[in-house]
């Protein structure tokens, strides 16, 4: 049986934690910072853990990171 392939886009954007959760960068900070509140910009730093529904989708794209 052939090997399953990992989606290249997924491996660039997501990391798995030791407990099996999926980490990603926070959305909404690419451009347009002028109109965003300083509170939003401050909260959107670093990484976040994806919701259960999104985690299920990402895990299909990354079969060897379980």
């Amino acid at each position: 049986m052939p090997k399953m392939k990992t989606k290249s886009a997924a491996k660039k954007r997501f990391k798995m934690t030791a407990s099996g959760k999926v980490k990603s960068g926070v959305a909404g900070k690419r451009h347009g910072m002028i109109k965003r509140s300083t509170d939003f910009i401050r909260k959107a730093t670093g990484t976040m853990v994806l919701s259960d529904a999104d985690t299920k989708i990402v895990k299909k794209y990354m079969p060897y990171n379980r």
Side-chain angles (χ1 to χ4, degrees), residues 37-62:
S37 68
T38 51
D39 189 43
F40 173 88
I41 295 170
R42 194 168 52 252
K43 284 180 180 174
T45 58
T47 57
M48 58 179 265
V49 175
L50 292 185
S51 67
D52 291 337
D54 292 335
T55 298
K56 203 181 277 188
I57 295 166
V58 172
K59 282 188 175 179
K60 283 181 187 168
Y61 293 154
M62 302 172 77

